[in-house]
Amino acid sequence: AKLDEKAPELALVGMDATKRDVVAFDKQLIIDVAREGAWDPYRLHLQRSLTAAYKKLPTDGNGRNRFQALWEQPSFYQAFLRWRVLTLLPSELITKDGYEGGMFFTWLLERNEIMEEILLTINPQKDDLPQVTKLLFDAWQSTAETQREKYINLAIACAVVFDRDQAITTPSEDEKYGESTTIKPLARYRWYMEKNEAGKLTAPVHHSSARDLVWVVCAPVSTKELDWAIAKMNISRRNWGNAYGMIEYLMERAVNGLNPYKEYTFAEILKEGGICGDQSYFCVNTARAHGKDIEHTRG
């Protein structure tokens, strides 16, 4: 279908929205849009259809629930999510050069929970939207088809955190994941995915929201440090705060500014002790290595 201003609006409310031919048309339309790369015309068509649907259903006064009748319409709600996601993510960035980009959006726009997670996690005022979109697509494309839904929240978190370069506290000598002085987004994504699949994480990442995982994947440490935490730290999820007390308080560092470390690593901090900043750094970032954040809570 040609998606111009003369194209009939999509049926989004009432019995019409549930008719078999309407549902079939919607599925075929997404396929056609993906094949032609017509995401911007499709977004505008969704906008026109949402406006037309809004006019068909009466709102309930001026209270906070006055739009409840609309949100209870499944087709309207999904169309609204699609419109918001396509408004947020610059689809042309990843769909202009090939079929896979279109397949990503086709996959995404069929999954309400994932669209909700994207809209709740990405901040259009703070995040680099083109870079977030590219990183999200790269993670999706590099993941086996059967694992994409399982790790999409991890992909969203990594895309949001690493839309700008993030430095590593101590550069890694580990070549497997290609890290140097900054964290490589896909390397960090793959590391958590691999450890999760191996059952190494105290807090499995596929059980967490993208909003929570933002505070996990941001650990400013190398893969080598993350591996150390996995190998050496064996504390239950509930009791991870005890890691703070594992670091002996070093009065000379507090009073005289002593630096006892050959390099600033978890192993050296555990061996030599430290002050409150070192204790917090050790506790928080070894927890993050295990998929858990103990420094922030999200509403």
Side-chain angles (χ1 to χ4, degrees), residues 30-42:
I30 291 286
I31 294 171
D32 292 342
V33 167
R35 183 176 59 248
E36 298 170 11
W39 295 107
D40 194 52
Y42 178 62

Side-chain angles (χ1 to χ4, degrees), residues 9 39 46 100 237:
E9 289 86 7
W39 295 107
L46 286 172
E100 279 293 308
R237 183 174 183 176

Side-chain angles (χ1 to χ4, degrees), residues 13-250:
V13 297
M15 295 296 294
D16 287 344
T18 63
K19 290 180 178 179
R20 183 178 302 178
D21 60 333
V22 172
V23 174
F25 175 82
D26 178 71
K27 291 184 178 297
Q28 186 60 47
L29 180 60
I30 291 286
I31 294 171
D32 292 342
V33 167
R35 183 176 59 248
E36 298 170 11
W39 295 107
D40 194 52
Y42 178 62
R43 178 182 60 82
L44 294 175
H45 191 59
L46 286 172
Q47 183 174 316
R48 289 192 294 269
S49 299
L50 288 165
T51 301
Y54 166 75
K55 294 177 180 178
K56 290 179 181 179
L57 284 182
T59 56
D60 186 14
N62 296 316
R64 60 187 301 178
N65 296 322
R66 63 188 182 278
F67 300 115
Q68 191 63 31
L70 284 171
W71 302 131
E72 291 174 352
Q73 301 286 319
S75 295
F76 180 91
Y77 183 61
Q78 185 176 66
F80 176 80
L81 291 176
R82 288 174 174 178
W83 171 69
R84 287 289 294 115
V85 166
L86 289 172
T87 300
L88 181 70
L89 302 180
S91 57
E92 68 279 359
L93 181 72
I94 62 174
T95 60
K96 63 181 180 181
D97 295 326
Y99 179 69
E100 279 293 308
M103 289 302 296
F104 167 70
F105 275 99
T106 300
W107 179 88
L108 175 60
L109 298 184
E110 290 292 339
R111 291 162 171 81
N112 287 6
E113 289 186 5
I114 297 174
M115 289 191 285
E116 290 171 346
E117 199 68 33
I118 284 174
L119 295 172
L120 288 169
T121 306
I122 297 175
N123 186 329
Q125 279 74 49
K126 295 182 179 180
D127 297 324
D128 183 336
L129 298 180
Q131 186 66 1
V132 167
T133 304
K134 183 179 185 303
L135 292 175
L136 184 57
F137 171 64
D138 288 345
W140 178 87
Q141 189 179 40
S142 68
T143 305
E145 187 175 344
T146 56
Q147 298 283 67
R148 284 170 174 169
E149 285 199 46
K150 183 175 181 179
Y151 290 106
I152 190 62
N153 285 352
L154 177 64
I156 295 169
C158 288
V160 167
V161 170
F162 303 117
D163 60 334
R164 295 174 178 83
D165 287 345
Q166 180 167 315
I168 296 174
T169 302
T170 303
S172 172
E173 298 177 359
D174 185 359
E175 296 298 327
K176 179 180 178 182
Y177 291 92
E179 294 180 338
S180 55
T181 56
T182 59
I183 296 170
K184 303 297 184 183
L186 284 182
R188 187 54 46 100
Y189 170 74
R190 288 195 299 268
W191 186 90
Y192 275 103
M193 187 167 61
E194 290 172 10
K195 297 305 179 186
N196 195 76
E197 285 297 295
K200 299 291 187 181
L201 303 183
T202 302
V205 291
H206 67 286
H207 293 323
S208 295
S209 69
R211 288 158 288 161
D212 288 335
L213 289 174
V214 162
W215 302 108
V216 170
V217 302
C218 64
V221 299
S222 67
T223 296
K224 185 177 180 180
E225 287 288 86
L226 296 175
D227 285 334
W228 184 95
I230 293 291
K232 302 296 184 181
M233 300 293 287
N234 185 21
I235 304 175
S236 70
R237 183 174 183 176
R238 177 177 296 180
N239 296 321
W240 203 277
N242 294 339
Y244 187 95
M246 291 173 62
I247 308 304
E248 182 179 356
Y249 194 84
L250 190 60

